[in-house]
Amino acid sequence: MRDSLIRAGRLTLRPFTTDDIAWVYEVSQDSDLRRWVELPSPYRWENAAYFVEHLAIEGRESGQRMEFLAEDDGVRSGRVGVWLGTNGIAEVGYWVDPRARGRGVATASVRAACEWAFATFGLEIIEWRCEVGNTASRRVAEKAGFVVEGTLRRRLFHRGRRVDAWVGSMTRDELGDGFASS
């Protein structure tokens, strides 16, 4: 599981390595990403190192957080993470390098990671949340197969304040058959 690769057409989802710190640092400077994702400000090199070394690598080793870097024909293009909860429930999160936006990277990555997580961990449901107004994230979630269930008032803490969140879910039985993994 630690070294799982997931193939999704031209994309490969792979575990993070310390070689990815510079890329995470660079992408995390993007103003659109910073608008919707709770990141330290200013975002420093040590923040990227912490994400990769502790959240992605150690999280995977502990079995609680499965972070994947999405490569599009070998080029780092995005990330998708699945955080394992209790009682067969997990949550998904994702972002895409600005140079890869609009090419289906997020949708394919989210779908593939969810299929893998359902099969690997026997999950029953995966949840998705984002700040109300983040229509790009919502479109990705819907295209990947999530059903948007509603709005949760003041559910997320973002940029120093509480904000409303859209929430959606995907159940195991809503998936089609099969996924590719190696």
Side-chain angles (χ1 to χ4, degrees):
M1 178 177 65
R2 184 171 172 260
D3 297 323
S4 296
L5 294 179
I6 302 170
R7 304 219 189 273
R10 70 181 194 277
L11 299 178
T12 300
L13 278 59
R14 64 160 175 84
F16 277 83
T17 71
T18 55
D19 291 340
D20 300 316
I21 293 171
W23 176 77
V24 169
Y25 174 78
E26 178 186 357
V27 172
S28 296
Q29 304 305 313
D30 175 61
S31 61
D32 286 335
L33 180 67
R34 298 177 62 75
R35 162 108 171 79
W36 299 112
V37 176
E38 182 70 19
L39 295 172
S41 183
Y43 194 84
R44 296 186 166 92
W45 183 269
E46 53 266 23
N47 300 122
Y50 182 84
F51 173 81
V52 171
E53 294 170 353
H54 298 285
L55 299 180
I57 296 173
E58 288 178 12
R60 177 176 286 275
E61 290 171 354
S62 75
Q64 294 302 302
R65 185 178 181 125
M66 300 296 126
E67 289 285 346
F68 291 96
L69 188 144
E71 292 182 331
D72 186 353
D73 287 330
V75 176
R76 292 176 181 99
S77 298
R79 65 114 336 236
V80 60
V82 178
W83 308 286
L84 302 174
T86 58
N87 300 320
I89 298 174
E91 188 171 341
V92 69
Y94 46 88
W95 46 257
V96 175
D97 187 314
R99 296 165 290 207
R101 290 186 186 137
R103 298 196 326 237
V105 169
T107 301
S109 297
V110 168
R111 180 71 181 195
C114 288
E115 289 174 349
W116 175 86
F118 277 119
T120 303
F121 299 107
L123 300 172
E124 294 297 322
I125 191 166
I126 299 176
E127 295 180 340
W128 156 87
R129 297 170 191 224
C130 81
E131 184 176 342
V132 169
N134 188 347
T135 55
S137 182
R138 182 174 174 150
R139 278 194 305 270
V140 166
E142 290 173 329
K143 287 179 185 177
F146 283 82
V147 174
V148 176
E149 298 172 349
T151 302
L152 301 175
R153 294 178 17 202
R154 300 175 58 142
R155 190 54 54 101
L156 299 176
F157 192 75
H158 194 190
R159 295 180 307 278
R161 63 185 178 89
R162 290 231 165 251
V163 297
D164 295 346
W166 284 322
V167 63
S169 66
M170 176 190 295
T171 64
R172 168 196 289 280
D173 57 342
E174 292 170 337
L175 286 175
D177 292 330
F179 65 94
S181 178
S182 62

